[in-house]
Amino acid sequence: MTLLQDLRFAVRSLRSHVGTAAFATLTLACGLAAAIAIYCVIDAVLLRALPYSQADRIVQIREVASDGHTMAMALPNYQDLVATIDRFDARTFYNSGDGIVGGAAQTVRAGVAYAGGDFFRAFNAVPQQGRLFGADEHARVAVIGHALWQGLLQGRVDVLGSALDVDGQHYTIVGVMPAGFAFPNETAVWVPLILDEAATSRSAHNFEALGRLRSRDDLAEARLAANALAGRLLQQYSGDIDARAFALTPLAEAIAAPVRSALLLLAAGTAFLLLIAITNATNLMLALHGSRSRELAVRAALGASGLRLARQLLLECLLITSLAAAIGMLLAALAVHLMLRVGGTHLPRLDEIHVSANDAALSLLAAVLIALAMSAAVLWNSQRRSSLAELRESGRGQSPGRSQLRTRAVLLVGQTTLTTLLLIGAALLGRSFLALLAIDPGFASDNAVDVQLSQPWQRDATVNARTAQRYRELMAAFAELPGVTLVGGVNALPLTQDGADGAFWDASVNDFSRPPPPSLGYAEFRVATADYFKAAGIPLRSGRSFDSRDRADGEHVAIVSEVTARATWGTRDPLGQRIQVGNMDGDLRPVTIIGVVADVHERSLEQVPKGAVYVDLDQRPAAAAQFDVIVRSSLTPSTLIDMLRGVLAQHATGIPYSLRALTEVRASALAQRRFSLVLFGAFALVAFVLAIGGLYGLMAFAVGQRTHEFALRQALGSSRGDIARLVLGSGLRIGVFGIALGVAAALAGAHAMQNLLYGVAATDVPVLAGVSALLLSTLVCACLLPAWRACAVAPREALA
């Protein structure tokens, strides 16, 4: 009964100070919403176990180059590794990508994995229907994903035993996987990887590999054995191998690796924001408690126990934090939705990210803990003074307790420190983003549309030639559209992870059945048309582009990028040089260099261009099953896309395609950094507002409580300027101290931040100085109104 009375009293008390209570609630709701939203992402991507049986035993196996970056496996290296290491229960090698999958009704572009070894055993996978294929399966059978079965195949009950076309080959469906199994990369179809001939090259990184350890404790010994093997292979095959070690990484860590640093940065920013919100709410509760100090002292003098008053305070804090948690959950659900829209396509395990009942329980637990912390801070501050001191200090004509103001000032210093850190982080990410935007990617993306075409990959040269001819017919139809100025195509656009790369040799190499001699260089391999370079805005530096002289039955030719020419031939003229690139497309006829073009960032803006070799579509169409056509025009991209759809509907029957403005390619390359910048910037903005509001609230509270003191000072001869300087000085001391601590913390943590930046140092002086000046000037503005109010106090109030 007493508890119920205290609860009703707490509601009435907060209602009488509804403005303060509402601001504290919204402050905490913002902090909790950010924390819950980021936790949902981190839990799904970094913390939660993969949805496979004993997933902690599955490891990714990759090769490590001399510069430390990891590479896919060369098949002979993989075979030696799994034969040497006896710690695996199952092992598999595979490659995957988009393929053309056809059912009875239609053809779609879908993820296809060609799996060798014990692929499904590595996951301890169990089919929903039918069976799986094993390491010794050589028949043309296919296992399909649940989504493909329900979509393309319309959930047919007789799906087992039915036919499925995959990249132009006929397969028989023998199994259906349960919903949720789509490894790797949203794969929809798995088929056995059948090698037509033994691979001998130890620098052809064509396969990803996995192993299932006998136990999780075997990882350390497996790593030691793998690296010992790498040393032996390097000695034995020094001319052909470019791996210096092997990397065995738990699969969950490998999947999360591309976004781990960004998510940890966001987690740190969220923690800072939540601490700022808690600090701000605590300061508000201190102010509320201070304004009621006389009331609480009277209650204590009339017999209210300390426990009763403490329980009263805790209930008020619980009401605020519980309401904040409820609002925070709603805001978190909205924030997760917005995050997935802004940067979700670049997050792994996307379908596992959502706000759950567990998150709601965690939010309520956080609300209780925050309420306990807030009430403890207020009680600690108030218990240092007696009830008699409260009555005396809060009496008419007295200034507020200095201890209370000091406590609030200390909290505000901490809040300013964290805000400074967030603002510096956001400013550094912003400068890094601008530095990336300033990079010339090597191609022009304005006023152009990318038409992505897909055909089944084939070994048959006649089929490949027909595919190339069909692409040319489509490009000719595009060129006839009004407003179109240039049309060209390539098998992989810049700034994407599509296409292939590999070594190339002197033209004398014409047999890959034995390990070849050391290569001339390493480059991206691209299949292009004559007008691709003009359509993409890639300048021709010397020589010529492809033209009608380059016939399929004539001498094969190639164009190289500047960095490839410089790295391979130095100051010599690359024109006329002959090289072998047959390991990339299976065509062993050498190519003659006829031109040099400018460098392009093929993989990402952060990576320095490593060079490219371009061959002609008519001469070597084998690697052009996936083909991007760039259509440049004087029209807006949206108008052009509508016109292109009409042409495709008429001329591209049976060819899966997609359309996008070419500017989206560059935007997509920056999406992950934009995601981090937007979220971290939002946190910094909220923290900035809370810090300014907190300082203003503290100064306004202090001025309100010290009205009699200011009047007395003026009566004794102080000028209004002296009063203003007194108020501004106290506010600036808090601000300067907090900013200095924030800058010091930023410098101390510069190393951790540097890995997330490009083109700017984590200790960048303009950023540190700019953030400090911005925050300090804004804090001064926050103190001006309280200072003006202090100056407006009339001296006669000291005598009242």
Side-chain angles (χ1 to χ4, degrees):
M1 191 63 172
T2 305
L3 181 62
L4 188 58
Q5 289 175 350
D6 286 345
L7 183 60
R8 285 199 296 264
F9 188 85
V11 172
R12 289 198 303 270
S13 176
L14 292 178
R15 189 184 302 163
S16 63
H17 299 85
V18 65
T20 302
F23 190 66
T25 301
L26 290 177
T27 295
L28 283 174
C30 290
L32 285 170
I36 294 166
I38 295 299
Y39 174 77
C40 289
V41 177
I42 290 177
D43 177 50
V45 178
L46 301 183
L47 303 179
R48 196 178 305 163
L50 293 172
Y52 312 122
S53 173
Q54 298 176 312
D56 59 343
R57 290 168 51 190
I58 307 172
V59 295
Q60 180 192 70
I61 308 170
R62 303 203 92 204
E63 297 182 18
V64 182
S66 57
D67 62 359
H69 81 274
T70 62
M71 308 174 289
M73 296 289 293
L75 188 57
N77 296 339
Y78 163 82
Q79 292 168 333
D80 286 342
L81 186 141
V82 298
T84 302
I85 299 177
D86 61 355
R87 300 289 175 176
F88 295 119
D89 273 345
R91 68 280 291 173
T92 179
F93 63 100
Y94 62 92
N95 54 39
S96 62
D98 286 344
I100 307 304
V101 179
Q106 61 177 324
T107 299
V108 298
R109 184 175 182 176
V112 178
Y114 292 85
D118 302 316
F119 182 85
F120 293 105
R121 270 193 61 207
F123 296 93
N124 267 352
V126 177
Q128 179 178 339
Q129 294 186 46
R131 68 174 180 88
L132 306 174
F133 56 81
D136 300 325
E137 187 87 55
H138 298 293
R140 291 199 177 275
V141 298
V143 175
I144 63 173
H146 185 273
L148 186 76
W149 173 46
Q150 292 296 313
L152 177 68
L153 302 179
Q154 302 173 349
R156 289 168 42 194
V157 295
D158 60 343
V159 67
L160 298 180
S162 62
L164 185 73
D165 286 346
V166 180
D167 282 337
Q169 300 294 325
H170 302 297
Y171 290 84
T172 300
I173 298 173
V174 297
V176 178
M177 295 304 293
F181 188 95
F183 186 89
N185 302 324
E186 301 302 319
T187 293
V189 181
W190 296 264
V191 298
L193 176 59
I194 302 172
L195 299 173
D196 295 335
E197 56 187 29
T200 59
S201 173
R202 292 181 179 271
S203 58
H205 306 286
N206 296 325
F207 299 100
E208 296 294 340
L210 298 175
R212 185 180 186 87
L213 296 168
R214 292 178 180 174
S215 77
R216 184 69 176 85
D217 298 332
D218 287 334
L219 180 58
E221 292 188 29
R223 282 172 169 166
L224 289 174
N227 288 322
L229 172 65
R232 295 195 298 271
L233 293 178
L234 187 60
Q235 288 183 340
Q236 186 174 356
Y237 303 101
S238 58
D240 183 40
I241 193 169
D242 52 5
R244 297 298 181 265
F246 293 106
L248 276 63
T249 309
L251 183 58
E253 293 182 19
I255 291 173
V259 297
R260 178 183 298 276
S261 296
L263 288 181
L264 291 179
L265 174 67
L266 290 174
T270 305
F272 290 165
L273 181 59
L274 183 57
L275 283 174
I276 290 169
I278 294 171
T279 302
N280 214 44
T282 303
N283 252 333
L284 290 169
M285 290 305 295
L286 279 168
L288 184 59
H289 194 270
S291 67
R292 297 166 54 198
S293 58
R294 183 175 178 83
E295 169 204 328
L296 296 173
V298 169
R299 291 183 64 192
L302 293 177
S305 67
L307 182 61
R308 181 78 179 269
L309 294 177
R311 186 171 64 187
Q312 183 72 55
L313 175 63
L314 179 59
L315 286 173
E316 292 175 7
C317 292
L318 277 173
L319 285 172
I320 289 175
T321 57
S322 299
L323 183 57
I327 297 173
M329 283 297 298
L330 296 176
L331 294 177
L334 177 61
V336 168
H337 175 71
L338 292 177
M339 277 195 295
L340 297 184
R341 289 195 61 182
V342 172
T345 55
H346 296 267
L347 290 173
R349 306 176 69 177
L350 190 62
D351 57 336
E352 299 179 50
I353 301 174
H354 58 272
V355 179
S356 66
N358 289 337
D359 300 317
L362 188 63
S363 177
L364 288 176
L365 176 61
V368 173
L369 294 177
I370 293 170
L372 289 171
M374 289 169 57
S375 56
V378 175
L379 287 171
W380 176 81
N381 182 67
S382 63
Q383 283 178 356
R384 290 183 298 167
R385 301 185 302 171
S386 66
S387 299
L388 182 59
E390 289 281 4
L391 284 169
R392 208 171 36 234
E393 207 170 53
S394 60
R396 182 177 173 86
Q398 298 296 325
S399 295
R402 300 298 185 189
S403 61
Q404 187 184 81
L405 290 178
R406 277 197 302 270
T407 302
R408 295 192 63 196
V410 168
L411 290 174
L412 195 56
V413 166
Q415 182 176 326
T416 307
T417 299
L418 296 175
T419 301
T420 304
L421 276 171
L422 281 176
L423 286 173
I424 289 173
L428 288 172
L429 289 176
R431 282 207 63 184
S432 181
F433 190 75
L434 291 176
L436 286 170
L437 286 178
I439 293 176
D440 180 5
F443 68 98
S445 59
D446 57 312
N447 298 322
V449 168
D450 165 41
V451 184
Q452 194 170 45
L453 305 169
S454 301
Q455 284 286 270
W457 180 83
Q458 296 281 355
R459 290 184 180 274
D460 191 317
T462 303
V463 174
N464 290 331
R466 279 202 304 268
T467 297
Q469 179 60 30
R470 195 167 186 190
Y471 288 160
R472 286 203 169 277
E473 291 171 357
L474 270 174
M475 287 188 282
F478 294 157
E480 293 176 359
L481 292 173
V484 171
T485 56
L486 288 166
V487 179
V490 70
N491 68 329
L493 286 179
L495 295 184
T496 67
Q497 298 299 314
D498 299 329
D501 54 1
F504 59 90
W505 285 264
D506 182 86
S508 61
V509 175
N510 56 19
D511 182 7
F512 287 95
S513 62
R514 297 187 301 271
S519 64
L520 285 179
Y522 199 90
E524 301 285 346
F525 181 76
R526 299 290 180 262
V527 182
T529 66
D531 288 333
Y532 165 68
F533 304 103
K534 290 182 179 179
I538 302 174
L540 181 68
R541 299 303 193 197
S542 63
R544 67 175 179 88
S545 184
F546 306 126
D547 58 28
S548 58
R549 288 172 284 181
D550 306 317
R551 303 189 321 177
D553 57 355
E555 181 185 20
H556 282 205
V557 296
I559 297 170
V560 297
S561 66
E562 288 180 292
V563 69
T564 300
R566 188 166 53 250
T568 308
W569 296 284
T571 58
R572 289 184 294 158
D573 187 0
L575 301 182
Q577 301 287 342
R578 302 178 75 239
I579 59 175
Q580 173 62 263
V581 293
N583 61 311
M584 301 303 299
D585 63 356
D587 191 331
L588 296 182
R589 285 172 288 185
V591 295
T592 302
I593 309 300
I594 61 169
V596 179
V597 295
D599 294 323
V600 173
H601 289 263
E602 293 287 353
R603 297 289 173 170
S604 72
L605 287 170
E606 293 96 329
Q607 294 181 6
V608 175
K610 64 180 178 182
V613 174
Y614 302 88
V615 296
D616 183 64
L617 173 65
D618 285 336
Q619 293 185 338
R620 304 177 81 111
Q626 314 294 327
F627 204 67
D628 288 272
V629 178
I630 296 176
V631 183
R632 188 169 295 280
S633 80
S634 57
L635 306 174
T636 63
S638 58
T639 301
L640 180 59
I641 286 174
D642 290 338
M643 297 170 61
L644 291 172
R645 281 202 179 98
V647 174
L648 289 164
Q650 183 177 357
H651 297 282
T653 305
I655 300 181
Y657 66 85
S658 62
L659 296 161
R660 58 179 172 174
L662 198 57
T663 52
E664 293 181 19
V665 175
R666 183 167 184 175
S668 179
L670 293 170
Q672 186 172 315
R673 287 186 176 271
R674 184 184 297 108
F675 175 71
S676 299
L677 175 60
V678 169
L679 288 185
F680 210 82
F683 296 162
L685 178 61
V686 174
F688 181 70
V689 171
L690 292 180
I692 301 306
L695 183 60
Y696 170 78
L698 175 64
M699 300 312 298
F701 173 79
V703 168
Q705 294 294 309
R706 298 172 68 185
T707 300
H708 181 79
E709 174 193 336
F710 295 144
L712 186 60
R713 284 177 178 271
Q714 291 191 59
L716 294 176
S718 295
S719 67
R720 292 191 174 186
D722 294 333
I723 300 299
R725 282 190 291 272
L726 178 65
V727 175
L728 286 173
S730 60
L732 286 178
R733 280 193 295 273
I734 293 172
V736 169
F737 193 42
I739 292 170
L741 288 177
V743 171
L747 292 173
H751 178 72
M753 186 74 180
Q754 190 62 57
N755 295 332
L756 299 169
L757 303 177
Y758 176 87
V760 60
T763 56
D764 187 63
V765 173
V767 166
L768 298 178
V771 167
S772 300
L774 171 66
L775 192 51
L776 186 59
S777 60
T778 313
L779 291 174
V780 170
C781 293
C783 295
L784 286 177
L785 182 57
W788 179 82
R789 286 179 56 200
C791 294
V793 175
R796 65 176 178 272
E797 293 190 22
L799 305 175

